[in-house]
Amino acid sequence: MKFGETPIDEATGAILAHSWRANGVNFAKGRVLSGEDVAKLKAAGAESIIAARLDAEDLHEDEAAATLARALAGEGIEVTAPFTGRCNHFARDAGLAVVDHARIDALNELDESVTVATLPPFARVEPRQMVATIKIIPYAAPRMAVQRALEVAKEANQPLVSVAPFKAMRAGLVQTRLPGTRDKVLDKAVGTTTKRLTSLGSSLVGERRVAHEAEAIAGALRELKGEGCDIFLIAGASAIVDRHDVVPAGIEEAGGEVIHFGMPVDPGNLLLTARLDGKPVLGLPGCAKSPKYNGFDMVLERLAAGLPVGRAEIVRMGAGGLLAEIASRPQPRDDSEAEGEGPQQAPRVAVLVLAAGRSTRMGGPNKMLVEADGEPLVVHAVKAALASQAVEVVVVLGHMAGEVRVAIEKAIPAGSRLRFVVNPDFADGLSTSVRTGVAALGSTIDAAVVQLGDMPGVGAPLLDRLMAAFSPVEGRSICVPTVGGKRGNPVLWARRFFPEITKLSGDSGAKHLIGEHADLVCEVEMNGEAAVTDIDTPEALAAWRARSTT
């Protein structure tokens, strides 16, 4: 192709490179100039134009784009007419985009004039959604480049771009129980699962709730198999932690076969895939209870589209497997649980150090100021919080607020991420200090650790372990430390609970909320006794001092 300044007398048949708008002539760029067009340009005063002139080795941009678009398109694709060197692929039905990544790369390597852009492989699409676009960059492409592109398109006897449409599946759900499992939690899982399936054109046709035992799971699977299910989903009351755990054991007892345990996708690591009489069985990770997009969705979508999901497919999901909320995916969601929008980031956790109490059980002195291992009790708590991964530390003052603040500022260097707030209602109980602290937090805080100022053994590693456990999408919105199964303090609370916390009253803090939201509680086992040791009395202080010196 020749491109550049062209004498007007030689312009017939050339492609106008730039729009011409002057002296009554209005020609758009890309126009193939006729003899009449050239006459009008001459009459308008044009002596030359910038134009492209094709030779025998060139293929016009529209013809090249249309030729390639037809060759690349597979099942489920509608191809648009070419315009300005572009042809688009649109999905005919809802399904998954099936894209041959390697051959798309190879095609784009051939010549700078030929480009193909697609959605990511296995992207979910709706009817009439664009899946790919073929664009010829200049006004023509070399015939040789187009021919080579066609050869790439014919390789492997498979199209480069297609859509696998979703097909209706009849799903059966097995949910297991442990002591304390609430029907409310199981009911919610049914609702979330139903919405997921419905969005794929499938349905939940049967559910069983059984004990968290292999034999019970096997029995439930046999019953659902008799009801004509195409796919079996198992949500254990306890997460699967090994391919020989209760859920996979139940699948095998029913006559099934475990294919693969785990996946390189987060959230969704603990997904188990299996087969029962040739039909897929999925042992669900904890995140399957959430409406947010996770590894369970990735596998469920492929199964609904009739695509294979074996070990080979699972282990290749790692690239792109660090998931974020994707606005374009039509996922069911519960806005009341909308936490952590956008790309995954380390949560912004604050620590609230409660130091406002009157120390009535101490028998006189303010225990916040009592020396323990060379420093006031409250200083131990503040230093631990500042040494942790918390983005902010808020100390709630009340009784002897001035003296407590002076003691802290004397020990803590200026310029730290430390703030003080005063609780004027400290005499009305612990709940008022929790409320005051939460109210002081900014809108960017994702969670708060409520740390008592009288627990000098709580160090930064304990706080960081609680923060590491925090994952709302995995159902870990309240993180409670335990020692030998006994719950202690401090407790981490996701932001979604802040409105309930601001309504607390009395001296019991937020303990009752843990019981009300048992399905969102994560117990974090700790070494040592720090999480269950507070200093309320002179005897407790003496015992702690004795231990700390041995």
Side-chain angles (χ1 to χ4, degrees):
M1 183 177 68
K2 299 175 182 176
F3 184 92
E5 187 170 355
T6 302
I8 195 64
D9 290 329
E10 300 175 12
T12 300
I15 301 171
L16 187 63
H18 304 295
S19 298
W20 178 285
R21 293 184 176 88
N23 300 326
V25 177
N26 187 0
F27 291 162
K29 66 179 181 179
R31 184 185 185 103
V32 179
L33 298 175
S34 65
E36 184 180 350
D37 292 336
V38 170
K40 289 181 178 179
L41 288 170
K42 288 180 67 174
E47 297 180 358
S48 65
I49 58 169
I50 304 298
R53 305 190 70 181
L54 278 56
D55 57 31
E57 299 303 316
D58 294 321
L59 198 61
H60 185 272
E61 57 177 345
D62 285 347
E63 183 180 355
T67 300
L68 287 178
R70 290 191 294 268
L72 303 185
E75 293 295 322
I77 294 291
E78 293 183 355
V79 182
T80 64
F83 182 69
T84 63
R86 182 185 301 278
C87 260
N88 296 324
H89 285 176
F90 285 91
R92 186 174 296 120
D93 302 297
L96 294 187
V98 182
V99 177
D100 190 324
H101 194 309
R103 284 196 291 157
I104 292 294
D105 286 348
L107 192 151
N108 282 321
E109 282 275 2
L110 294 175
D111 190 277
E112 65 181 18
S113 65
V114 178
T115 67
V116 180
T118 74
L119 292 177
F122 306 108
R124 182 169 171 170
V125 297
E126 296 300 307
R128 299 298 301 154
Q129 181 177 341
M130 187 184 293
V131 180
T133 184
I134 294 84
K135 175 68 171 121
I136 305 303
I137 301 299
Y139 288 114
R143 290 182 183 274
M144 182 62 69
V146 174
Q147 182 57 44
R148 288 165 63 197
L150 292 174
E151 292 171 1
V152 171
K154 294 177 183 177
E155 291 175 2
N157 294 319
Q158 292 182 345
L160 274 75
V161 183
S162 61
V163 170
F166 293 136
K167 302 173 183 178
M169 299 186 297
R170 292 167 53 85
L173 173 65
V174 179
Q175 298 198 80
T176 70
R177 296 176 181 270
L178 286 170
T181 302
R182 296 188 300 167
D183 285 334
K184 172 185 174 183
V185 176
L186 302 181
D187 293 342
K188 186 175 181 180
V190 170
T192 301
T193 304
T194 298
K195 290 178 181 178
R196 262 196 175 89
L197 291 165
T198 301
S199 74
L200 297 171
S202 297
S203 58
L204 181 63
V205 298
E207 186 218 358
R208 296 293 186 277
R209 299 180 182 184
V210 300
H212 191 68
E213 300 169 357
E215 184 177 349
I217 293 171
L221 288 173
R222 293 189 190 102
E223 291 180 9
L224 291 171
K225 185 170 66 171
E227 295 179 11
C229 292
D230 305 309
I231 182 172
F232 305 93
L233 310 175
I234 308 175
S238 180
I240 305 170
V241 295
D242 188 89
R243 66 162 35 237
H244 302 294
D245 206 342
V246 173
V247 170
I251 294 170
E252 291 179 339
E253 187 167 331
E257 174 191 8
V258 173
I259 296 173
H260 190 70
F261 173 55
M263 65 188 308
V265 176
D266 185 51
N269 296 133
L270 299 183
L271 182 123
L272 179 134
T273 55
R275 296 196 75 78
L276 176 62
D277 289 349
K279 296 177 180 178
V281 184
L282 301 180
L284 305 185
C287 59
K289 298 176 183 177
S290 167
K292 289 190 176 182
Y293 192 82
N294 58 69
F296 170 42
D297 291 291
M298 293 177 69
V299 172
L300 189 65
E301 288 175 348
R302 294 201 197 187
L303 291 173
L307 298 175
V309 188
R311 182 182 185 278
E313 288 77 22
I314 291 286
V315 299
R316 291 187 178 93
M317 291 180 178
L322 185 59
L323 300 179
E325 183 79 359
I326 303 173
S328 62
R329 295 188 187 272
Q331 292 298 308
R333 66 176 300 117
D334 178 353
D335 290 335
S336 67
E337 295 186 353
E339 299 180 66
E341 297 292 338
Q344 290 193 44
Q345 298 178 339
R348 294 177 57 83
V349 181
V351 174
L352 305 179
V353 179
L354 307 188
R358 293 179 294 171
S359 307
T360 54
R361 295 176 60 192
M362 202 67 184
N366 185 340
K367 64 180 176 181
M368 293 294 112
L369 301 175
V370 171
E371 184 179 297
D373 198 18
E375 291 185 308
L377 277 180
V378 69
V379 170
H380 286 279
V382 175
K383 282 188 172 181
L386 289 171
S388 75
Q389 295 175 349
V391 299
E392 183 177 40
V393 177
V394 177
V395 180
V396 182
L397 305 172
H399 178 56
M400 299 178 64
E403 292 90 332
V404 174
R405 177 166 183 165
V406 167
I408 295 170
E409 290 180 330
K410 182 178 179 180
I412 307 297
S416 63
R417 58 192 188 283
L418 176 65
R419 289 196 296 123
F420 296 90
V421 295
V422 176
N423 171 20
D425 302 317
F426 65 88
D428 293 335
L430 181 68
S431 63
T432 63
S433 291
V434 179
R435 292 193 331 239
T436 300
V438 166
L441 297 176
S443 60
T444 62
I445 296 299
D446 300 310
V449 177
V450 180
Q451 181 182 5
L452 304 180
D454 62 356
M455 300 182 71
V458 171
L462 188 154
L463 297 172
D464 289 342
R465 185 164 165 78
L466 287 177
M467 295 179 207
F470 174 58
S471 178
V473 75
E474 293 278 1
R476 302 193 297 271
S477 295
I478 305 172
C479 299
V480 183
T482 59
V483 177
K486 179 182 178 182
R487 289 177 174 177
N489 283 294
V491 176
L492 181 149
W493 298 88
R495 183 177 191 85
R496 61 173 292 180
F497 300 107
F498 289 3
E500 292 179 78
I501 289 174
T502 58
K503 298 175 183 177
L504 296 174
S505 62
D507 201 39
S508 61
K511 286 184 179 179
H512 73 282
L513 294 180
I514 295 177
E516 293 178 9
H517 300 283
D519 55 312
L520 300 177
V521 173
C522 170
E523 292 187 340
V524 185
E525 185 66 18
M526 300 292 183
N527 295 323
E529 300 290 319
V532 293
T533 303
D534 58 354
I535 310 296
D536 276 337
T537 65
E539 293 76 17
L541 177 61
W544 190 84
R545 283 173 171 167
R547 286 195 300 271
S548 65
T549 57
T550 58

